[in-house]
Amino acid sequence: MPTMMKALRKMSSGPGLQLESVAVPEAGPTDALIRVRAASICGTDLHIYGWDRWSQSRIKPPLTLGHEFCGYVERVGEEVRGIAPGDFVSAEMHVNCGYCHQCRIGQPHICQNLEIIGIDRDGAFAEFVRIPARNVWKIDPGIPEHYAAILDPLGNAVHAVLAGEIAGHTVAVTGCGPIGLMAIAVARACGCSTLFATEVNPLRAALAKRMGADEVINPVEADAVARVRAATSGAGVDVLLEMSGNPTAIQQGFKMLRAGGRASLLGIPSQPVNLDLVEDVIFKGATVQGIYGRKMFETWVQMTALLKSGRLDLEPLFRERYILDRFQDAFTLLEGGQASKVLFYPNGGVDMVQK
Amino acid sequence: MPTMMKALRKMSSGPGLQLESVAVPEAGPTDALIRVRAASICGTDLHIYGWDRWSQSRIKPPLTLGHEFCGYVERVGEEVRGIAPGDFVSAEMHVNCGYCHQCRIGQPHICQNLEIIGIDRDGAFAEFVRIPARNVWKIDPGIPEHYAAILDPLGNAVHAVLAGEIAGHTVAVTGCGPIGLMAIAVARACGCSTLFATEVNPLRAALAKRMGADEVINPVEADAVARVRAATSGAGVDVLLEMSGNPTAIQQGFKMLRAGGRASLLGIPSQPVNLDLVEDVIFKGATVQGIYGRKMFETWVQMTALLKSGRLDLEPLFRERYILDRFQDAFTLLEGGQASKVLFYPNGGVDMVQK
Amino acid sequence: MPTMMKALRKMSSGPGLQLESVAVPEAGPTDALIRVRAASICGTDLHIYGWDRWSQSRIKPPLTLGHEFCGYVERVGEEVRGIAPGDFVSAEMHVNCGYCHQCRIGQPHICQNLEIIGIDRDGAFAEFVRIPARNVWKIDPGIPEHYAAILDPLGNAVHAVLAGEIAGHTVAVTGCGPIGLMAIAVARACGCSTLFATEVNPLRAALAKRMGADEVINPVEADAVARVRAATSGAGVDVLLEMSGNPTAIQQGFKMLRAGGRASLLGIPSQPVNLDLVEDVIFKGATVQGIYGRKMFETWVQMTALLKSGRLDLEPLFRERYILDRFQDAFTLLEGGQASKVLFYPNGGVDMVQK
Amino acid sequence: MPTMMKALRKMSSGPGLQLESVAVPEAGPTDALIRVRAASICGTDLHIYGWDRWSQSRIKPPLTLGHEFCGYVERVGEEVRGIAPGDFVSAEMHVNCGYCHQCRIGQPHICQNLEIIGIDRDGAFAEFVRIPARNVWKIDPGIPEHYAAILDPLGNAVHAVLAGEIAGHTVAVTGCGPIGLMAIAVARACGCSTLFATEVNPLRAALAKRMGADEVINPVEADAVARVRAATSGAGVDVLLEMSGNPTAIQQGFKMLRAGGRASLLGIPSQPVNLDLVEDVIFKGATVQGIYGRKMFETWVQMTALLKSGRLDLEPLFRERYILDRFQDAFTLLEGGQASKVLFYPNGGVDMVQK
């Protein structure tokens, strides 16, 4: 067992990251120490890398990034039950307090004192990561290793899709980034009816088709609202899954929604959004849901079941695999606007070739 | 049975109303003709009276106003079952088509082809009104006559309060017009926890207290958001009942809502509202509901039960009673901004004195 | 348009049926007359054919049987909107009153005064059948003709499966008659997790596998409860779909259910069942649902969407096709205990060969 | 701080209890030690006292009884946050494991490895009791001390009543023991419609009236089913709260339930119950729920709110107060079949007079 390890870190306020050598974390009595097998880059990591306004207010350097990963349990604290060294695991990176009102009434995913590993504490872009044992999730043997590295965003998608009825329901997905694309596959696997997607990026639009969208509309080139309404006898869709965070897309999404429909909002707009509450929510009797994180741990159970069933083909999402040393190439690749998951293998041991 | 009757009508595009003599309506085979006992003036009637922008786009004169009322069945069409002449009734004034998607799946209150009696067809500010028989609701004998005249707005309040869990939940009611005030009484009767109300008008604020609010805050004089959060250990309320339609109140209401809470929106803002979707909906995992009309007819069943139980004291809401001839006085009284229900008795027969 | 037609009828109290020539029904102002294309034999028809105790108490001869069918609209009454001659349709054969408590609160499928076409009124084993127009359901062009003939039992299965959460949930289906088999396919199409089925008949067991069961257990040969619990880490399944009506299977099904699970009961036991309420319901915090008919018309919408998506392969269920004259062969075939759908084509026009 | 204390214990297999002097419990790092103020005798304690069949299989002497109580925090372990010495508290006595499937998906109240303090570990009929800190519940200052001693059974009642919609719904409560009586008061405070109760014991029947039942029926003297159906226009009640555990009462309760209604079962029958599943559950489309314990901790939040509102008058339930030395008198009193709560004050300090 080494005492020092490589970690990809934000060392000071400002753009960029640095590969550092740091001490391997100590695991407390209720913690697990995980040897990272694979970790995936999230859009949030790109924001921190670029040091946008949100990052400036939230991130306190120095910090090791990384909150999507899988690995092997290396060591557990003395009070830990249910997991043991050698287990192949991922983890819920939202750490709840256990004491606030929401924690007490069964809504820990919206805990008032939530901390996120890789955002507020050192994360998984490193050879080892420390995780509270109750946040560790054992991976079913039927799930491929690289899928296990992206359960965090897949959980976002599953939480959004299953936040209401989906079987036999028409769906619009606005925005086909990685989570939007996963949501398409999940909705399809759960028996949704006709699924429309909107996306301006041609690469993402093509992926949306491969993930199972019946129709992908470029909202710059076509009137997406008119198209969806025409295809639903004027009624609109039963379910809106808003995955873009783009104010115009949000507004269009609401216009696509039928009266009595459900809008699940996951995409993060960078500013307040002007909503026509009367026509789009009140007169429609619509239900609007904020989707944050994943339910702990219902979503993990559902996600495991969907993956085991073999109905979720996520292969189209994967691109390059890198060792941490080549992080610059990885971030540059993603800054091009791809809806792809790029994986780090901090401990090496795979062919770092393109998937 | 007379052939002509008095009716209070909008005769042309522009402000004001006129008392006219018109033919008593014919009842078709599936209709009921009702002799109006009492009818109540809604805020919508004030808008039509004043001829605001919404009225200009929606109302097609000539039209008899009035959609809150009670009366006695005078005659029923040959295919009508379940009601008979002499029955004391009110009616659901939202007439659904029965054929659209929402009607077919049990959501007739948000029918795609909804018509409202008193808005799109001749209403109840008249001696008689024609109603499709399936929209007629027989009044339980335990319900006072003047209460029976305001079941329409009471139904709005009941629908909003019972659109989610309420027993043991903390509540904020933003806006204490008649429906807001009724919502306070309904939430209280259904076992809510601490109930906060916001209102600028001192008369309405005083009524809010009488209806059962634990604390009424004037948001111009105090920081309502800070006050509600402080009183809920920083968490915010479980349930927001938005009854004002005021953009600032809506924004404040969302800031009062706890993570995981429910916001039921009923007040009608006259323009789009700028919402901080990230902080107020998405990160909160909040549920936002548009509340329109009343559920047909679950809400009517619930409302009847609450009234029969004697737990809803609506007396503070009632003001003057008028014959139709004095409509000018009635509208002038209400334009003063009172949260009060003023009743017409088109067929006379009561002391037209102040309650 | 003929005035007389062939109809397969129960003419008197006792076993058997007769092929009769009767008058084509008159369609009233709110009715549709349908020219039957294909009709399917239900287990209930077998009971009436054999004249069991239930039939003796419910059926009033003379009566034309048949409540699973599709056909073409021949004629509509003057008050009918939304359907027209030539439309390809099926129908909800449960006719609700529209006036009772359940009808008023959006639960018409459990109307207090329900009548069933083919049980209480003349049904679809005839060249023509009369249906109240609001019960008629237009068939989406993407749905195969023979599937359209079995929407009634498919709707039972869809109603049972979607009466609670199913995606990502483990399932046990006890009893693999036609509706049980359909439920397997529906649960699979809606993203269920591991699905166990129990069945003693080897033919049905084989079909269960083809419909998508992960494991089919013969409860006579193996300890089905022990097997399901072992395969679910001792917890039991999330969802029980009881399709057998067999008291022992019902008891076993409850023992397979995990604490907090859902049991949806559709199979009809012929006598009261002894239930261990303490261990199987109360201490488990289980939810038990009675499943009757189909939701009008949410289930029809969901069913249409699932069929259009192409995810439901029902072909294994179909067997012979007959003209009405050969009804004796059809009933004899089914009395052998097959989980198959046998179709009548009262107006001929297909090859009456084995599928 | 003493090292020894009095405790009321089952010392060996067989009827009776003994007052013993035992060591004050040690509190581990995540525990709290509570100085008991008042503790209440549950029906389960009577069973253990009398040593019935259930007790023989479950209880492992020696054991200190008592699972309904309130007290003051004396000491907390080093890892405990959120409570401190001096806090006035009660506790959820169902201790969940935190690792099983149900614990992980937010259903800890039906944990697979549940242990109950006072049943499986030493309880609160003693001067001190040790409780895991996360099970401790701080008492709102607005709640009377003696009410704080019976939050455990009150929580059962609240969980049962609020397991589905209650406002505006008709209710039947079968069985008016303490929890049934509390359920009457809770349903009333939450806006229920007409509430029927059944009870044979005249004392309990009288209490049912005082707690808010509209009508109390002695099912031995009157046809309770016929009476309830007649009073609900033949439909039956919306909600059955089964609190008796008596097989006949359970069967009658189901016959009182309307189609589409909810039956929440809490009473524990001592043997399997013969149910007419077809007529009472399946054809009715009924929902049946097992009610066990209390939701952790939603129920505690709701209960606190209801008590604070002042709407729950539980005074009629209270009888004598005793010191532990007089336990024989207390148990003898209750064996007479009263629906009353008798309190122990192990540390003395009140007038031990009859309430």
Side-chain angles (χ1 to χ4, degrees), chain A residues 229-245:
Chain A
R229 297 192 78 92
T232 51
S233 312
V237 292
D238 297 314
V239 179
L240 166 66
L241 303 174
E242 208 304 298
M243 300 296 181
S244 72

PDB file of all heavy atoms in Angstrom, chain A residues 229-245:
ATOM      1  N   ARG A 229     -46.396  19.316 -31.441  1.00  0.00           N
ATOM      2  CA  ARG A 229     -47.848  19.390 -31.262  1.00  0.00           C
ATOM      3  C   ARG A 229     -48.568  18.720 -32.426  1.00  0.00           C
ATOM      4  O   ARG A 229     -49.569  18.012 -32.226  1.00  0.00           O
ATOM      5  CB  ARG A 229     -48.294  20.843 -31.100  1.00  0.00           C
ATOM      6  CG  ARG A 229     -47.697  21.490 -29.833  1.00  0.00           C
ATOM      7  CD  ARG A 229     -48.354  22.809 -29.507  1.00  0.00           C
ATOM      8  NE  ARG A 229     -49.649  22.583 -28.882  1.00  0.00           N
ATOM      9  CZ  ARG A 229     -49.850  22.506 -27.571  1.00  0.00           C
ATOM     10  NH1 ARG A 229     -48.854  22.660 -26.732  1.00  0.00           N
ATOM     11  NH2 ARG A 229     -51.050  22.279 -27.098  1.00  0.00           N
ATOM     12  N   ALA A 230     -48.068  18.939 -33.633  1.00  0.00           N
ATOM     13  CA  ALA A 230     -48.719  18.308 -34.789  1.00  0.00           C
ATOM     14  C   ALA A 230     -48.665  16.788 -34.668  1.00  0.00           C
ATOM     15  O   ALA A 230     -49.631  16.084 -35.001  1.00  0.00           O
ATOM     16  CB  ALA A 230     -48.028  18.765 -36.077  1.00  0.00           C
ATOM     17  N   ALA A 231     -47.532  16.289 -34.170  1.00  0.00           N
ATOM     18  CA  ALA A 231     -47.359  14.839 -34.082  1.00  0.00           C
ATOM     19  C   ALA A 231     -48.116  14.224 -32.921  1.00  0.00           C
ATOM     20  O   ALA A 231     -48.157  13.000 -32.768  1.00  0.00           O
ATOM     21  CB  ALA A 231     -45.867  14.506 -33.964  1.00  0.00           C
ATOM     22  N   THR A 232     -48.716  15.063 -32.082  1.00  0.00           N
ATOM     23  CA  THR A 232     -49.485  14.552 -30.939  1.00  0.00           C
ATOM     24  C   THR A 232     -50.936  15.024 -31.007  1.00  0.00           C
ATOM     25  O   THR A 232     -51.560  15.307 -29.982  1.00  0.00           O
ATOM     26  CB  THR A 232     -48.862  15.002 -29.598  1.00  0.00           C
ATOM     27  OG1 THR A 232     -48.670  16.433 -29.633  1.00  0.00           O
ATOM     28  CG2 THR A 232     -47.516  14.349 -29.348  1.00  0.00           C
ATOM     29  N   SER A 233     -51.452  15.131 -32.223  1.00  0.00           N
ATOM     30  CA  SER A 233     -52.837  15.566 -32.444  1.00  0.00           C
ATOM     31  C   SER A 233     -53.139  16.888 -31.758  1.00  0.00           C
ATOM     32  O   SER A 233     -54.266  17.110 -31.320  1.00  0.00           O
ATOM     33  CB  SER A 233     -53.816  14.500 -31.937  1.00  0.00           C
ATOM     34  OG  SER A 233     -53.447  13.234 -32.402  1.00  0.00           O
ATOM     35  N   GLY A 234     -52.140  17.733 -31.641  1.00  0.00           N
ATOM     36  CA  GLY A 234     -52.360  19.044 -31.039  1.00  0.00           C
ATOM     37  C   GLY A 234     -52.257  19.064 -29.531  1.00  0.00           C
ATOM     38  O   GLY A 234     -52.228  20.138 -28.922  1.00  0.00           O
ATOM     39  N   ALA A 235     -52.195  17.906 -28.908  1.00  0.00           N
ATOM     40  CA  ALA A 235     -52.267  17.861 -27.438  1.00  0.00           C
ATOM     41  C   ALA A 235     -50.957  18.226 -26.766  1.00  0.00           C
ATOM     42  O   ALA A 235     -50.940  18.858 -25.710  1.00  0.00           O
ATOM     43  CB  ALA A 235     -52.705  16.470 -26.988  1.00  0.00           C
ATOM     44  N   GLY A 236     -49.838  17.839 -27.376  1.00  0.00           N
ATOM     45  CA  GLY A 236     -48.548  17.973 -26.704  1.00  0.00           C
ATOM     46  C   GLY A 236     -48.172  16.667 -26.018  1.00  0.00           C
ATOM     47  O   GLY A 236     -48.974  15.737 -25.948  1.00  0.00           O
ATOM     48  N   VAL A 237     -46.941  16.625 -25.504  1.00  0.00           N
ATOM     49  CA  VAL A 237     -46.446  15.376 -24.897  1.00  0.00           C
ATOM     50  C   VAL A 237     -46.862  15.262 -23.433  1.00  0.00           C
ATOM     51  O   VAL A 237     -47.105  16.262 -22.763  1.00  0.00           O
ATOM     52  CB  VAL A 237     -44.910  15.272 -24.992  1.00  0.00           C
ATOM     53  CG1 VAL A 237     -44.465  15.101 -26.440  1.00  0.00           C
ATOM     54  CG2 VAL A 237     -44.240  16.470 -24.338  1.00  0.00           C
ATOM     55  N   ASP A 238     -46.885  14.034 -22.970  1.00  0.00           N
ATOM     56  CA  ASP A 238     -47.226  13.766 -21.565  1.00  0.00           C
ATOM     57  C   ASP A 238     -46.103  14.185 -20.625  1.00  0.00           C
ATOM     58  O   ASP A 238     -46.364  14.592 -19.493  1.00  0.00           O
ATOM     59  CB  ASP A 238     -47.454  12.258 -21.364  1.00  0.00           C
ATOM     60  CG  ASP A 238     -48.617  11.717 -22.159  1.00  0.00           C
ATOM     61  OD1 ASP A 238     -49.681  12.357 -22.139  1.00  0.00           O
ATOM     62  OD2 ASP A 238     -48.467  10.660 -22.802  1.00  0.00           O
ATOM     63  N   VAL A 239     -44.854  14.033 -21.089  1.00  0.00           N
ATOM     64  CA  VAL A 239     -43.706  14.225 -20.207  1.00  0.00           C
ATOM     65  C   VAL A 239     -42.639  15.063 -20.904  1.00  0.00           C
ATOM     66  O   VAL A 239     -42.251  14.767 -22.037  1.00  0.00           O
ATOM     67  CB  VAL A 239     -43.083  12.858 -19.812  1.00  0.00           C
ATOM     68  CG1 VAL A 239     -41.861  13.055 -18.920  1.00  0.00           C
ATOM     69  CG2 VAL A 239     -44.107  11.967 -19.135  1.00  0.00           C
ATOM     70  N   LEU A 240     -42.189  16.103 -20.234  1.00  0.00           N
ATOM     71  CA  LEU A 240     -41.043  16.885 -20.691  1.00  0.00           C
ATOM     72  C   LEU A 240     -39.856  16.574 -19.787  1.00  0.00           C
ATOM     73  O   LEU A 240     -39.953  16.719 -18.556  1.00  0.00           O
ATOM     74  CB  LEU A 240     -41.351  18.384 -20.621  1.00  0.00           C
ATOM     75  CG  LEU A 240     -40.140  19.315 -20.761  1.00  0.00           C
ATOM     76  CD1 LEU A 240     -39.521  19.229 -22.155  1.00  0.00           C
ATOM     77  CD2 LEU A 240     -40.532  20.761 -20.434  1.00  0.00           C
ATOM     78  N   LEU A 241     -38.754  16.154 -20.401  1.00  0.00           N
ATOM     79  CA  LEU A 241     -37.513  15.972 -19.648  1.00  0.00           C
ATOM     80  C   LEU A 241     -36.558  17.060 -20.113  1.00  0.00           C
ATOM     81  O   LEU A 241     -36.003  16.990 -21.216  1.00  0.00           O
ATOM     82  CB  LEU A 241     -36.938  14.575 -19.899  1.00  0.00           C
ATOM     83  CG  LEU A 241     -37.875  13.405 -19.566  1.00  0.00           C
ATOM     84  CD1 LEU A 241     -37.257  12.070 -20.001  1.00  0.00           C
ATOM     85  CD2 LEU A 241     -38.199  13.363 -18.079  1.00  0.00           C
ATOM     86  N   GLU A 242     -36.394  18.098 -19.295  1.00  0.00           N
ATOM     87  CA  GLU A 242     -35.604  19.255 -19.695  1.00  0.00           C
ATOM     88  C   GLU A 242     -34.157  19.030 -19.261  1.00  0.00           C
ATOM     89  O   GLU A 242     -33.850  19.020 -18.067  1.00  0.00           O
ATOM     90  CB  GLU A 242     -36.182  20.528 -19.055  1.00  0.00           C
ATOM     91  CG  GLU A 242     -35.926  21.783 -19.840  1.00  0.00           C
ATOM     92  CD  GLU A 242     -34.454  22.052 -20.131  1.00  0.00           C
ATOM     93  OE1 GLU A 242     -33.672  22.225 -19.173  1.00  0.00           O
ATOM     94  OE2 GLU A 242     -34.073  22.084 -21.333  1.00  0.00           O
ATOM     95  N   MET A 243     -33.272  18.882 -20.242  1.00  0.00           N
ATOM     96  CA  MET A 243     -31.895  18.478 -19.987  1.00  0.00           C
ATOM     97  C   MET A 243     -30.880  19.489 -20.500  1.00  0.00           C
ATOM     98  O   MET A 243     -29.679  19.211 -20.489  1.00  0.00           O
ATOM     99  CB  MET A 243     -31.636  17.128 -20.689  1.00  0.00           C
ATOM    100  CG  MET A 243     -32.535  16.011 -20.212  1.00  0.00           C
ATOM    101  SD  MET A 243     -32.203  15.650 -18.456  1.00  0.00           S
ATOM    102  CE  MET A 243     -33.346  14.300 -18.159  1.00  0.00           C
ATOM    103  N   SER A 244     -31.362  20.654 -20.966  1.00  0.00           N
ATOM    104  CA  SER A 244     -30.456  21.597 -21.619  1.00  0.00           C
ATOM    105  C   SER A 244     -29.996  22.732 -20.712  1.00  0.00           C
ATOM    106  O   SER A 244     -28.880  23.214 -20.835  1.00  0.00           O
ATOM    107  CB  SER A 244     -31.148  22.212 -22.839  1.00  0.00           C
ATOM    108  OG  SER A 244     -32.150  23.124 -22.415  1.00  0.00           O
ATOM    109  N   GLY A 245     -30.860  23.203 -19.837  1.00  0.00           N
ATOM    110  CA  GLY A 245     -30.570  24.410 -19.084  1.00  0.00           C
ATOM    111  C   GLY A 245     -30.645  25.663 -19.931  1.00  0.00           C
ATOM    112  O   GLY A 245     -30.394  26.765 -19.442  1.00  0.00           O
TER     113      GLY A 245
END
